[in-house]
Amino acid sequence: MNILGLTFDDTDASAALLIDGIPVAAIQEERLSRISHDPSLPKNAIDYCLKQGGLSAGDIDAVAFFGNPLVRFDRILRGRLRILKRHGGSFRATLKGWLGDRLFEVRSRIAETLEVDERLVSYAPRPDALAAASFQTSPFERACVIVVDGPRNDMRMSVFKGADDGLKNIAVGHPGRDFAEQVLRTAERTEAAGICLAGKAFRDPEVVGRIVREARMPVYLPTAPGNAGGAIGAALWRRRDSSGKPASRLPVPTPPARTLDNDDIGKAVKQSGMAIEARHDGARELAGAVAGCLAGGKAIGWFQGPAPWSEIAPNARCALIDPSMPEAARTLAEKLKWNDAPRRLALSVTLETAHEVFDIASPGWAERHALAAHPLHAGQLKGLECGRAMRCHAVDRKDDPLFHALLIAFRERTGLPALLNAPLALGKEPLAETPADALRSYIYGGLDGLALGDMMVGRKLTL
Amino acid sequence: MKAAIVFPPNEAPPILFRQIMEAVQARYRRRDDVSMRFFAFPKTLSYYQSHIDGIELTPIDGNCLVAFDEALLIQVNMPYAMAALPFSLPERSYILESTGAVRPLKRATDERDDPVREAHVFNRLGPRDSLAAHAHYYFPWSYLYREPAYGPINEIGHRIDHDYLALAERDPGHKVIACYGGSAAWGWDCLHHQVWTARLDEKLNAQAKEKGLPWTFTVLNFAGPGHVVMNEIFHFILFGHQVPFDVVISHSGANDLYNGQLSDPWLLETHHITYQQPLESWARILHDSADRPGVYPKAGEPMSSKNPPAVNLRAYVARIRQFRDLARAVGAIFVWGLQPMIFSRRAMAPMETGIEARRPPQENDVYEKYPALYEMLCSNIPDDLAGAFVNHHRLFSDIGEDEWLFWDSVHPAPKGQDRIAGFYLDHFVDKVFPLLKDREEER
């Protein structure tokens, strides 16, 4: 059965494709359209997923849309009604927008785009889809699944019991101000093997960090816990077993990333007109060369392998700098032309040395994907405040031997156990998806070098 | 002729008075039958009287302006072109902007404002229906653009106020310099005598006189608003073949690197062709293809930089090289000036602060890419062009914040124009004069 999951009309439109229950592709529209948080019907993402799955639109058996437009409109309407007297114009604009942009007609818009029967499209309730996206990709057989979703002033918390026979909603309500505390208390009352988190609220690494540190059981959350993860959640929610009933839990891998090899990178470099400064044979040589540049005070872009299904990609698409440099965080933010404070910054460490830098016992899933922030206790990182919480990116040699080798090589040269890591995204642009995006970020930003596959790209150009 | 000049109802900063008064003088300089009278609104009369010497201001009331042949209404920051005015105006009334532009009030430009606009068929078929008649318009060989608001322009829209074709027959010591570029080179927001080409003409002749050089110079401005180097080449081919030029200057960069971020990727990469947004609109009108997607976003929509920067730079440099070869083929010395932009400044003058924030937000993405493109270009100037290159971008970075050099992100103010002319003069002394001498010895 081929299921297409979609989310759009809200921020972070995306598409995901399940073939026989297994995710074969998922991508955010912004990565392809290059429009930050693109909310539009994700035609590029759909095409990408179908291509990855070797399917055409006619092969789709079901389409699951993340959320229900009427439920969303109801929520927005209630919010607008509260401020109607003061902001009548905003109310009229909302109505006009919904009618003019056909936001109620999600089913027919999808059917028109894919040229499929409208009856194939179903709406996946948001909490259920988010819960499915977290629990069904988690390593737990039994879990307390907690979804905290919705706009900041109207968040909803849904608690599910996840087990072999699926997900059961056991509580719904509004979370309190300190919802991390609420999550911890709720989880403790269950007999689950772990906590699965989902929803926009868990995009905040400090909240996740606190839960990870204080929970008495392991914590899991998907690498795209917010809207973007809704597409895969909707598709997993729509999954049915052979008798047509909702499928019981079957752990599924996160979708594979777009394949990319050195030939693709070589073509992109050639097309960009930039000169290749050096080519490095093997991980060790490349890691050594990049570590040398970083130790020399340079800020280097790092583009390696496919971009994973996540909102950040600290292993694959990042910019790195020596964290002991004065004003390291500000320097990196300036080189990437960010205006905002670097909440997206992480400190990359090896799995073995994480405890030297962060106040945590042993890094888990959230740290491996830089989803949790923890207090720092490393005095030698002069550019960073001790005691401040920062995203921890713990690199396992098994997951990414190249990045691990880079951290080791950097430590050999400087004695420092960490690198400051920022998403490779220029200004307000989305994360670099292709080598061409990375080259643009490099050229238009102020990075001193770019490690693109096995190549180091310089700033020399033959005009 | 009786002319009334009306100071605005708001208090304009004194730094703008000089430009306004120069514009008034420039408008009537060539006429000896003009009597001028200055008016002010009662509430700002004493302000203007105390700041401007040598003129007597009369308070404006009722129908006092009707008896005049024309009225210039000075406008600073507070547009009143469309407002109902509390007094009657003569039929020929104009807005005089703080940049010195004089535009008809509530009517389109006519033949008195632009005497040569009916000279040829493509002018006659050009735009008439806009209050601001300046626009790109159709011409089979690139496009045309007319803007008579800043002073005289010729039949093609060039800021040339005499019959330059007569220069075909001239003394060997009379050197003609043809200048090309976009609106900054054309001299947008500056009066005829303030534009760098006019300033260069003056400086070169003064230098020749001072140093006893055996030359006189005429500098001709063939620039056109919006021009990329390809348009410069077109104008060189179309309008330069009858007059042998001694020197050709391309004062460019901004338009090529702007349009190069946005125009068709295949044309740019394969053939080094870049072009302006209206050209796609014309294709849609001609071929009734409005339903087909273009490459440029539609007017008013956000512009998103998309072409690879190195491809953009290569296209620009390839066309510069082509222009150089064409100029050399007809015996001219080629000069390539990279035009300065506001970001070339290390420190802004008070009048320049906030320029970048006032830019249309839909262009932000494209403008934000300029500094990196300029830096990359300046660090990779090819050897074969280095001798012809004048890097105004770098030269402007050394000028202090006490000088007001720009009106906006692209267009230099009069002082900036003068600085550009000064830097070209330095290049002439250093590089061009020796070549001219060599040529004369060869002859």
Side-chain angles (χ1 to χ4, degrees), chain A residues 33-35 270-274 337 426 429 436 439-440 443-445 459-463, chain B residues 261 269 305-311 313-314 317 321 365 369 372-373 376-377 380 382:
Chain A
S33 70
R34 308 308 297 159
I35 298 167
K270 195 173 170 209
Q271 197 185 23
S272 80
M274 300 298 294
K337 302 196 181 297
L426 187 71
E429 289 181 14
L439 283 159
R440 276 170 50 83
I443 294 162
Y444 286 135
R459 288 199 172 265
K460 194 95 193 109
L461 180 66
T462 309
L463 290 173
Chain B
Q261 294 183 59
E269 185 175 355
S305 167
K306 59 173 185 293
N307 287 319
V311 172
L313 290 170
R314 278 195 173 153
V317 172
R321 212 174 252 128
D365 188 50
K369 303 294 188 286
L373 287 168
M376 211 166 149
L377 176 65
N380 291 285

mmCIF file of all heavy atoms in Angstrom, chain A residues 33-35 270-274 337 426 429 436 439-440 443-445 459-463, chain B residues 261 269 305-311 313-314 317 321 365 369 372-373 376-377 380 382:
data_model
loop_
_atom_site.group_PDB
_atom_site.id
_atom_site.type_symbol
_atom_site.label_atom_id
_atom_site.label_comp_id
_atom_site.label_asym_id
_atom_site.label_seq_id
_atom_site.Cartn_x
_atom_site.Cartn_y
_atom_site.Cartn_z
ATOM 1 N N SER A 33 12.026 24.387 -2.421
ATOM 2 C CA SER A 33 11.586 25.686 -2.964
ATOM 3 C C SER A 33 12.524 26.795 -2.537
ATOM 4 O O SER A 33 12.538 27.867 -3.136
ATOM 5 C CB SER A 33 10.171 26.012 -2.492
ATOM 6 O OG SER A 33 10.160 26.314 -1.099
ATOM 7 N N ARG A 34 13.288 26.570 -1.480
ATOM 8 C CA ARG A 34 14.214 27.542 -0.890
ATOM 9 C C ARG A 34 13.469 28.737 -0.303
ATOM 10 O O ARG A 34 14.021 29.825 -0.185
ATOM 11 C CB ARG A 34 15.280 28.023 -1.896
ATOM 12 C CG ARG A 34 16.044 26.945 -2.611
ATOM 13 C CD ARG A 34 16.662 25.934 -1.709
ATOM 14 N NE ARG A 34 17.664 26.466 -0.798
ATOM 15 C CZ ARG A 34 18.026 25.846 0.329
ATOM 16 N NH1 ARG A 34 17.459 24.707 0.684
ATOM 17 N NH2 ARG A 34 18.941 26.377 1.113
ATOM 18 N N ILE A 35 12.200 28.535 0.042
ATOM 19 C CA ILE A 35 11.433 29.572 0.742
ATOM 20 C C ILE A 35 11.305 29.124 2.189
ATOM 21 O O ILE A 35 10.723 28.069 2.463
ATOM 22 C CB ILE A 35 10.035 29.760 0.110
ATOM 23 C CG1 ILE A 35 10.172 30.210 -1.337
ATOM 24 C CG2 ILE A 35 9.196 30.751 0.922
ATOM 25 C CD1 ILE A 35 8.903 30.121 -2.138
ATOM 26 N N LYS A 270 31.507 22.447 -10.490
ATOM 27 C CA LYS A 270 31.848 22.868 -11.847
ATOM 28 C C LYS A 270 30.847 23.919 -12.331
ATOM 29 O O LYS A 270 31.216 24.942 -12.899
ATOM 30 C CB LYS A 270 31.836 21.648 -12.767
ATOM 31 C CG LYS A 270 32.508 21.909 -14.084
ATOM 32 C CD LYS A 270 32.646 20.676 -14.918
ATOM 33 C CE LYS A 270 33.107 21.100 -16.314
ATOM 34 N NZ LYS A 270 32.672 20.208 -17.343
ATOM 35 N N GLN A 271 29.572 23.646 -12.080
ATOM 36 C CA GLN A 271 28.542 24.579 -12.531
ATOM 37 C C GLN A 271 28.652 25.931 -11.817
ATOM 38 O O GLN A 271 28.379 26.972 -12.396
ATOM 39 C CB GLN A 271 27.168 23.975 -12.290
ATOM 40 C CG GLN A 271 26.096 24.687 -13.100
ATOM 41 C CD GLN A 271 24.712 24.179 -12.783
ATOM 42 O OE1 GLN A 271 24.462 23.617 -11.721
ATOM 43 N NE2 GLN A 271 23.811 24.373 -13.717
ATOM 44 N N SER A 272 29.085 25.876 -10.573
ATOM 45 C CA SER A 272 29.184 27.127 -9.806
ATOM 46 C C SER A 272 30.331 27.994 -10.301
ATOM 47 O O SER A 272 30.354 29.193 -10.070
ATOM 48 C CB SER A 272 29.405 26.821 -8.327
ATOM 49 O OG SER A 272 30.769 26.515 -8.086
ATOM 50 N N GLY A 273 31.280 27.385 -10.973
ATOM 51 C CA GLY A 273 32.428 28.139 -11.458
ATOM 52 C C GLY A 273 33.514 28.314 -10.413
ATOM 53 O O GLY A 273 34.529 28.953 -10.657
ATOM 54 N N MET A 274 33.323 27.735 -9.218
ATOM 55 C CA MET A 274 34.324 27.894 -8.159
ATOM 56 C C MET A 274 35.468 26.903 -8.378
ATOM 57 O O MET A 274 35.288 25.845 -8.972
ATOM 58 C CB MET A 274 33.693 27.632 -6.792
ATOM 59 C CG MET A 274 32.554 28.547 -6.452
ATOM 60 S SD MET A 274 33.026 30.268 -6.369
ATOM 61 C CE MET A 274 34.118 30.240 -4.968
ATOM 62 N N LYS A 337 25.318 35.420 8.386
ATOM 63 C CA LYS A 337 24.387 36.543 8.226
ATOM 64 C C LYS A 337 23.077 36.319 8.979
ATOM 65 O O LYS A 337 21.984 36.560 8.467
ATOM 66 C CB LYS A 337 24.126 36.829 6.739
ATOM 67 C CG LYS A 337 25.400 37.144 5.982
ATOM 68 C CD LYS A 337 25.125 37.791 4.668
ATOM 69 C CE LYS A 337 26.390 38.093 3.908
ATOM 70 N NZ LYS A 337 27.283 39.032 4.540
ATOM 71 N N LEU A 426 22.074 30.237 5.155
ATOM 72 C CA LEU A 426 22.461 31.638 5.075
ATOM 73 C C LEU A 426 21.283 32.539 5.427
ATOM 74 O O LEU A 426 20.212 32.416 4.835
ATOM 75 C CB LEU A 426 22.935 31.944 3.658
ATOM 76 C CG LEU A 426 23.522 33.322 3.449
ATOM 77 C CD1 LEU A 426 24.870 33.444 4.125
ATOM 78 C CD2 LEU A 426 23.650 33.622 1.973
ATOM 79 N N GLU A 429 17.460 31.892 4.970
ATOM 80 C CA GLU A 429 17.227 30.799 4.019
ATOM 81 C C GLU A 429 17.123 29.470 4.748
ATOM 82 O O GLU A 429 17.653 29.309 5.851
ATOM 83 C CB GLU A 429 18.380 30.728 3.008
ATOM 84 C CG GLU A 429 18.368 31.889 2.026
ATOM 85 C CD GLU A 429 19.502 31.809 1.012
ATOM 86 O OE1 GLU A 429 20.141 30.744 0.894
ATOM 87 O OE2 GLU A 429 19.735 32.823 0.350
ATOM 88 N N ALA A 436 24.710 22.957 -4.524
ATOM 89 C CA ALA A 436 24.576 24.333 -5.037
ATOM 90 C C ALA A 436 24.130 25.275 -3.915
ATOM 91 O O ALA A 436 24.603 26.411 -3.829
ATOM 92 C CB ALA A 436 23.573 24.368 -6.189
ATOM 93 N N LEU A 439 27.122 25.966 -1.761
ATOM 94 C CA LEU A 439 28.056 26.891 -2.404
ATOM 95 C C LEU A 439 27.552 28.329 -2.317
ATOM 96 O O LEU A 439 28.320 29.261 -2.093
ATOM 97 C CB LEU A 439 28.258 26.481 -3.876
ATOM 98 C CG LEU A 439 29.183 25.283 -4.052
ATOM 99 C CD1 LEU A 439 28.955 24.602 -5.391
ATOM 100 C CD2 LEU A 439 30.648 25.705 -3.932
ATOM 101 N N ARG A 440 26.243 28.502 -2.469
ATOM 102 C CA ARG A 440 25.678 29.858 -2.345
ATOM 103 C C ARG A 440 25.876 30.402 -0.931
ATOM 104 O O ARG A 440 26.274 31.542 -0.740
ATOM 105 C CB ARG A 440 24.175 29.834 -2.641
ATOM 106 C CG ARG A 440 23.818 29.899 -4.109
ATOM 107 C CD ARG A 440 22.340 29.623 -4.287
ATOM 108 N NE ARG A 440 21.538 30.440 -3.387
ATOM 109 C CZ ARG A 440 21.188 31.691 -3.635
ATOM 110 N NH1 ARG A 440 21.554 32.259 -4.760
ATOM 111 N NH2 ARG A 440 20.460 32.365 -2.774
ATOM 112 N N ILE A 443 29.530 31.344 -0.553
ATOM 113 C CA ILE A 443 29.977 32.527 -1.289
ATOM 114 C C ILE A 443 29.343 33.792 -0.727
ATOM 115 O O ILE A 443 29.994 34.809 -0.530
ATOM 116 C CB ILE A 443 29.673 32.377 -2.792
ATOM 117 C CG1 ILE A 443 30.519 31.236 -3.363
ATOM 118 C CG2 ILE A 443 29.949 33.666 -3.539
ATOM 119 C CD1 ILE A 443 30.033 30.706 -4.672
ATOM 120 N N TYR A 444 28.033 33.728 -0.471
ATOM 121 C CA TYR A 444 27.341 34.930 -0.002
ATOM 122 C C TYR A 444 27.549 35.173 1.490
ATOM 123 O O TYR A 444 27.311 36.271 1.973
ATOM 124 C CB TYR A 444 25.851 34.854 -0.325
ATOM 125 C CG TYR A 444 25.547 35.060 -1.788
ATOM 126 C CD1 TYR A 444 24.659 34.240 -2.462
ATOM 127 C CD2 TYR A 444 26.146 36.102 -2.494
ATOM 128 C CE1 TYR A 444 24.373 34.439 -3.803
ATOM 129 C CE2 TYR A 444 25.872 36.292 -3.833
ATOM 130 C CZ TYR A 444 24.980 35.466 -4.486
ATOM 131 O OH TYR A 444 24.707 35.676 -5.803
ATOM 132 N N GLY A 445 27.940 34.146 2.213
ATOM 133 C CA GLY A 445 28.251 34.333 3.623
ATOM 134 C C GLY A 445 29.726 34.655 3.769
ATOM 135 O O GLY A 445 30.422 34.945 2.789
ATOM 136 N N ARG A 459 38.095 30.348 -2.487
ATOM 137 C CA ARG A 459 37.414 31.539 -3.001
ATOM 138 C C ARG A 459 38.038 32.014 -4.316
ATOM 139 O O ARG A 459 37.704 33.066 -4.817
ATOM 140 C CB ARG A 459 37.448 32.656 -1.965
ATOM 141 C CG ARG A 459 36.518 32.369 -0.809
ATOM 142 C CD ARG A 459 36.183 33.597 -0.026
ATOM 143 N NE ARG A 459 35.146 33.286 0.940
ATOM 144 C CZ ARG A 459 33.849 33.471 0.732
ATOM 145 N NH1 ARG A 459 33.417 33.960 -0.399
ATOM 146 N NH2 ARG A 459 32.965 33.155 1.659
ATOM 147 N N LYS A 460 38.976 31.232 -4.837
ATOM 148 C CA LYS A 460 39.620 31.607 -6.097
ATOM 149 C C LYS A 460 38.643 31.310 -7.231
ATOM 150 O O LYS A 460 37.990 30.281 -7.249
ATOM 151 C CB LYS A 460 40.888 30.775 -6.259
ATOM 152 C CG LYS A 460 41.806 31.283 -7.308
ATOM 153 C CD LYS A 460 42.899 32.196 -6.739
ATOM 154 C CE LYS A 460 43.584 32.928 -7.860
ATOM 155 N NZ LYS A 460 43.290 34.338 -7.909
ATOM 156 N N LEU A 461 38.614 32.216 -8.169
ATOM 157 C CA LEU A 461 37.652 32.082 -9.260
ATOM 158 C C LEU A 461 38.320 32.548 -10.538
ATOM 159 O O LEU A 461 38.976 33.578 -10.552
ATOM 160 C CB LEU A 461 36.455 32.980 -8.924
ATOM 161 C CG LEU A 461 35.303 33.047 -9.877
ATOM 162 C CD1 LEU A 461 34.601 31.700 -9.931
ATOM 163 C CD2 LEU A 461 34.329 34.108 -9.400
ATOM 164 N N THR A 462 38.179 31.763 -11.605
ATOM 165 C CA THR A 462 38.738 32.202 -12.882
ATOM 166 C C THR A 462 37.639 32.889 -13.666
ATOM 167 O O THR A 462 36.666 32.247 -14.052
ATOM 168 C CB THR A 462 39.291 30.992 -13.666
ATOM 169 O OG1 THR A 462 40.153 30.280 -12.785
ATOM 170 C CG2 THR A 462 40.063 31.428 -14.892
ATOM 171 N N LEU A 463 37.791 34.162 -13.846
ATOM 172 C CA LEU A 463 36.737 34.908 -14.545
ATOM 173 C C LEU A 463 37.116 35.118 -16.018
ATOM 174 O O LEU A 463 38.250 35.327 -16.340
ATOM 175 C CB LEU A 463 36.515 36.260 -13.866
ATOM 176 C CG LEU A 463 35.868 36.203 -12.481
ATOM 177 C CD1 LEU A 463 35.871 37.580 -11.847
ATOM 178 C CD2 LEU A 463 34.436 35.697 -12.565
ATOM 179 N N GLN B 261 21.453 37.937 -11.022
ATOM 180 C CA GLN B 261 20.951 37.067 -9.956
ATOM 181 C C GLN B 261 19.577 36.515 -10.306
ATOM 182 O O GLN B 261 19.134 35.544 -9.728
ATOM 183 C CB GLN B 261 20.832 37.843 -8.638
ATOM 184 C CG GLN B 261 22.160 38.288 -8.066
ATOM 185 C CD GLN B 261 21.967 38.992 -6.730
ATOM 186 O OE1 GLN B 261 21.428 38.427 -5.786
ATOM 187 N NE2 GLN B 261 22.398 40.223 -6.638
ATOM 188 N N GLU B 269 24.198 31.374 -18.162
ATOM 189 C CA GLU B 269 25.347 30.475 -18.080
ATOM 190 C C GLU B 269 25.918 30.157 -19.460
ATOM 191 O O GLU B 269 27.126 30.161 -19.667
ATOM 192 C CB GLU B 269 24.948 29.174 -17.369
ATOM 193 C CG GLU B 269 26.149 28.282 -17.163
ATOM 194 C CD GLU B 269 25.850 27.039 -16.371
ATOM 195 O OE1 GLU B 269 24.717 26.887 -15.888
ATOM 196 O OE2 GLU B 269 26.761 26.203 -16.248
ATOM 197 N N SER B 305 17.272 35.945 -5.038
ATOM 198 C CA SER B 305 18.507 35.699 -5.782
ATOM 199 C C SER B 305 18.649 34.214 -6.048
ATOM 200 O O SER B 305 18.540 33.418 -5.133
ATOM 201 C CB SER B 305 19.673 36.188 -4.919
ATOM 202 O OG SER B 305 20.877 35.714 -5.426
ATOM 203 N N LYS B 306 18.881 33.816 -7.300
ATOM 204 C CA LYS B 306 18.936 32.371 -7.533
ATOM 205 C C LYS B 306 20.135 31.893 -8.350
ATOM 206 O O LYS B 306 20.587 30.786 -8.155
ATOM 207 C CB LYS B 306 17.631 31.887 -8.178
ATOM 208 C CG LYS B 306 17.333 32.552 -9.474
ATOM 209 C CD LYS B 306 16.122 31.904 -10.123
ATOM 210 C CE LYS B 306 15.872 32.482 -11.475
ATOM 211 N NZ LYS B 306 15.453 33.871 -11.505
ATOM 212 N N ASN B 307 20.644 32.686 -9.269
ATOM 213 C CA ASN B 307 21.722 32.166 -10.116
ATOM 214 C C ASN B 307 23.030 32.044 -9.338
ATOM 215 O O ASN B 307 23.305 32.849 -8.455
ATOM 216 C CB ASN B 307 21.914 33.070 -11.325
ATOM 217 C CG ASN B 307 20.778 32.914 -12.323
ATOM 218 O OD1 ASN B 307 20.337 31.797 -12.566
ATOM 219 N ND2 ASN B 307 20.286 34.007 -12.853
ATOM 220 N N PRO B 308 23.844 31.031 -9.690
ATOM 221 C CA PRO B 308 25.116 30.871 -8.968
ATOM 222 C C PRO B 308 25.983 32.118 -9.113
ATOM 223 O O PRO B 308 26.124 32.659 -10.218
ATOM 224 C CB PRO B 308 25.776 29.672 -9.664
ATOM 225 C CG PRO B 308 24.670 28.958 -10.344
ATOM 226 C CD PRO B 308 23.644 29.991 -10.702
ATOM 227 N N PRO B 309 26.547 32.595 -8.013
ATOM 228 C CA PRO B 309 27.296 33.854 -8.061
ATOM 229 C C PRO B 309 28.432 33.862 -9.059
ATOM 230 O O PRO B 309 28.645 34.871 -9.754
ATOM 231 C CB PRO B 309 27.817 34.009 -6.629
ATOM 232 C CG PRO B 309 27.377 32.832 -5.863
ATOM 233 C CD PRO B 309 26.429 32.039 -6.671
ATOM 234 N N ALA B 310 29.155 32.742 -9.150
ATOM 235 C CA ALA B 310 30.299 32.744 -10.066
ATOM 236 C C ALA B 310 29.826 32.814 -11.518
ATOM 237 O O ALA B 310 30.490 33.423 -12.362
ATOM 238 C CB ALA B 310 31.138 31.491 -9.842
ATOM 239 N N VAL B 311 28.685 32.221 -11.803
ATOM 240 C CA VAL B 311 28.137 32.279 -13.170
ATOM 241 C C VAL B 311 27.755 33.724 -13.497
ATOM 242 O O VAL B 311 28.013 34.233 -14.598
ATOM 243 C CB VAL B 311 26.912 31.335 -13.279
ATOM 244 C CG1 VAL B 311 26.208 31.507 -14.617
ATOM 245 C CG2 VAL B 311 27.347 29.885 -13.082
ATOM 246 N N LEU B 313 29.050 36.450 -12.159
ATOM 247 C CA LEU B 313 30.278 37.248 -12.327
ATOM 248 C C LEU B 313 30.940 36.959 -13.666
ATOM 249 O O LEU B 313 31.420 37.868 -14.349
ATOM 250 C CB LEU B 313 31.252 36.945 -11.182
ATOM 251 C CG LEU B 313 30.827 37.460 -9.805
ATOM 252 C CD1 LEU B 313 31.731 36.881 -8.721
ATOM 253 C CD2 LEU B 313 30.864 38.975 -9.750
ATOM 254 N N ARG B 314 30.925 35.692 -14.032
ATOM 255 C CA ARG B 314 31.557 35.335 -15.318
ATOM 256 C C ARG B 314 30.853 35.995 -16.486
ATOM 257 O O ARG B 314 31.481 36.440 -17.439
ATOM 258 C CB ARG B 314 31.513 33.820 -15.496
ATOM 259 C CG ARG B 314 32.622 33.152 -14.766
ATOM 260 C CD ARG B 314 32.772 31.740 -15.246
ATOM 261 N NE ARG B 314 33.962 31.189 -14.646
ATOM 262 C CZ ARG B 314 34.149 29.912 -14.420
ATOM 263 N NH1 ARG B 314 33.219 29.054 -14.748
ATOM 264 N NH2 ARG B 314 35.252 29.478 -13.883
ATOM 265 N N VAL B 317 31.850 39.667 -16.564
ATOM 266 C CA VAL B 317 33.229 39.880 -17.020
ATOM 267 C C VAL B 317 33.364 39.516 -18.500
ATOM 268 O O VAL B 317 34.086 40.182 -19.250
ATOM 269 C CB VAL B 317 34.222 39.094 -16.127
ATOM 270 C CG1 VAL B 317 35.626 39.150 -16.701
ATOM 271 C CG2 VAL B 317 34.204 39.652 -14.712
ATOM 272 N N ARG B 321 34.747 42.009 -21.308
ATOM 273 C CA ARG B 321 35.851 41.644 -22.208
ATOM 274 C C ARG B 321 35.439 41.874 -23.662
ATOM 275 O O ARG B 321 36.211 42.379 -24.479
ATOM 276 C CB ARG B 321 36.180 40.165 -21.964
ATOM 277 C CG ARG B 321 37.604 39.833 -22.167
ATOM 278 C CD ARG B 321 37.889 38.399 -21.769
ATOM 279 N NE ARG B 321 38.643 38.305 -20.547
ATOM 280 C CZ ARG B 321 38.291 37.566 -19.503
ATOM 281 N NH1 ARG B 321 37.170 36.868 -19.516
ATOM 282 N NH2 ARG B 321 39.046 37.511 -18.441
ATOM 283 N N ASP B 365 16.688 40.641 -0.696
ATOM 284 C CA ASP B 365 17.510 39.452 -0.907
ATOM 285 C C ASP B 365 18.590 39.705 -1.961
ATOM 286 O O ASP B 365 19.744 39.320 -1.798
ATOM 287 C CB ASP B 365 16.622 38.268 -1.310
ATOM 288 C CG ASP B 365 17.403 36.972 -1.350
ATOM 289 O OD1 ASP B 365 18.093 36.690 -0.358
ATOM 290 O OD2 ASP B 365 17.364 36.265 -2.372
ATOM 291 N N LYS B 369 23.016 40.425 -1.479
ATOM 292 C CA LYS B 369 24.043 39.592 -2.117
ATOM 293 C C LYS B 369 25.146 40.432 -2.774
ATOM 294 O O LYS B 369 26.198 39.916 -3.121
ATOM 295 C CB LYS B 369 23.410 38.680 -3.177
ATOM 296 C CG LYS B 369 22.303 37.769 -2.669
ATOM 297 C CD LYS B 369 22.829 36.749 -1.694
ATOM 298 C CE LYS B 369 21.826 35.705 -1.289
ATOM 299 N NZ LYS B 369 20.788 36.155 -0.367
ATOM 300 N N ALA B 372 28.986 40.522 -1.294
ATOM 301 C CA ALA B 372 29.793 39.316 -1.520
ATOM 302 C C ALA B 372 30.192 39.212 -2.989
ATOM 303 O O ALA B 372 31.325 38.820 -3.308
ATOM 304 C CB ALA B 372 29.016 38.079 -1.093
ATOM 305 N N LEU B 373 29.282 39.582 -3.886
ATOM 306 C CA LEU B 373 29.619 39.531 -5.321
ATOM 307 C C LEU B 373 30.738 40.521 -5.644
ATOM 308 O O LEU B 373 31.674 40.202 -6.383
ATOM 309 C CB LEU B 373 28.375 39.853 -6.162
ATOM 310 C CG LEU B 373 27.312 38.758 -6.218
ATOM 311 C CD1 LEU B 373 26.012 39.301 -6.813
ATOM 312 C CD2 LEU B 373 27.789 37.569 -7.039
ATOM 313 N N MET B 376 34.025 39.216 -4.256
ATOM 314 C CA MET B 376 34.537 38.100 -5.047
ATOM 315 C C MET B 376 35.103 38.590 -6.380
ATOM 316 O O MET B 376 36.133 38.110 -6.843
ATOM 317 C CB MET B 376 33.374 37.153 -5.311
ATOM 318 C CG MET B 376 33.799 35.740 -5.426
ATOM 319 S SD MET B 376 32.329 34.756 -5.319
ATOM 320 C CE MET B 376 32.848 33.431 -6.325
ATOM 321 N N LEU B 377 34.430 39.575 -6.963
ATOM 322 C CA LEU B 377 34.912 40.132 -8.222
ATOM 323 C C LEU B 377 36.258 40.835 -8.000
ATOM 324 O O LEU B 377 37.218 40.603 -8.735
ATOM 325 C CB LEU B 377 33.867 41.117 -8.771
ATOM 326 C CG LEU B 377 34.250 41.871 -10.035
ATOM 327 C CD1 LEU B 377 34.415 40.909 -11.208
ATOM 328 C CD2 LEU B 377 33.193 42.906 -10.392
ATOM 329 N N ASN B 380 39.235 38.679 -7.686
ATOM 330 C CA ASN B 380 39.547 37.779 -8.800
ATOM 331 C C ASN B 380 39.589 38.507 -10.143
ATOM 332 O O ASN B 380 39.226 37.939 -11.179
ATOM 333 C CB ASN B 380 38.491 36.663 -8.856
ATOM 334 C CG ASN B 380 38.577 35.707 -7.687
ATOM 335 O OD1 ASN B 380 39.466 34.867 -7.618
ATOM 336 N ND2 ASN B 380 37.666 35.847 -6.735
ATOM 337 N N PRO B 382 40.674 39.450 -13.548
ATOM 338 C CA PRO B 382 41.611 38.757 -14.451
ATOM 339 C C PRO B 382 42.760 39.673 -14.875
ATOM 340 O O PRO B 382 42.571 40.887 -15.010
ATOM 341 C CB PRO B 382 40.734 38.396 -15.653
ATOM 342 C CG PRO B 382 39.337 38.659 -15.254
ATOM 343 C CD PRO B 382 39.348 39.626 -14.134
#
